[in-house]
Amino acid sequence: MAIERKSKQRDAIINELCSRYDHPTAMELYLAVREQIPNLSLGTLYRNLSQLEENGQVLRIPDGATDRFDGNVNPHAHFKCITCGNVYDLMSFNLDTLTFSDEIVHSIVNYSLMAFGHCKNCNKIN
């Protein structure tokens, strides 16, 4: 991990992202951080998100055409509602409860899991 110098923009981006639980897209994050730093460019946001991801400070969640970002870098699963498109953390999911063939897996150090279905809010509507 490379040593980075502090930057007002990077600090604002990581603080905004870590204060949220909705897994924003880059554009949603950009609009929120621009309220604090009006002259923030979209390019600066993307460069900082890439550096933060590279340094293990944020997670990029592939979501079809648009990626989402998560300030919680601890291993955890995600759930995406196929009705509203929202992404939620599945903190109660535990990889230790899964079993794997000893012929394939020696050890698991991290994982990425996305479950799909209907969230409680959308289920109430339908």
Side-chain angles (χ1 to χ4, degrees):
M1 185 171 5
I3 304 271
E4 294 181 12
R5 54 177 211 206
K6 291 282 265 178
S7 103
K8 179 178 156 185
Q9 291 91 350
R10 189 172 306 119
D11 289 346
I13 292 165
I14 192 73
N15 288 339
E16 177 67 26
L17 189 55
C18 288
S19 73
R20 298 173 67 146
Y21 298 97
D22 62 343
H23 305 82
T25 63
M27 184 56 73
E28 291 168 337
L29 195 55
Y30 171 70
L31 294 173
V33 176
R34 278 204 53 197
E35 291 179 15
Q36 302 164 44
I37 305 173
N39 63 346
L40 178 72
S41 73
L42 196 51
T44 297
L45 177 98
Y46 277 111
R47 275 191 303 281
N48 279 283
L49 281 173
S50 291
Q51 288 175 345
L52 290 166
E53 179 188 15
E54 187 177 299
N55 290 335
Q57 295 175 274
V58 303
L59 294 177
R60 181 183 304 262
I61 304 168
D63 189 27
T66 304
D67 293 341
R68 293 178 172 272
F69 294 88
D70 192 348
N72 179 359
V73 295
N74 296 315
H76 64 284
H78 292 100
F79 171 82
K80 180 175 181 176
C81 178
I82 59 176
T83 302
C84 66
N86 289 334
V87 176
Y88 303 93
D89 290 331
L90 289 177
M91 299 308 291
S92 61
F93 178 82
N94 186 348
L95 185 67
D96 296 334
T97 61
L98 296 177
T99 57
F100 296 92
S101 168
D102 291 338
E103 296 172 14
I104 299 170
V105 178
H106 176 265
S107 67
I108 296 174
V109 296
N110 201 347
Y111 63 90
S112 174
L113 174 76
M114 177 75 76
F116 299 88
H118 301 280
C119 70
K120 289 181 180 180
N121 290 334
C122 290
N123 192 49
K124 289 178 192 175
I125 297 169
N126 295 323

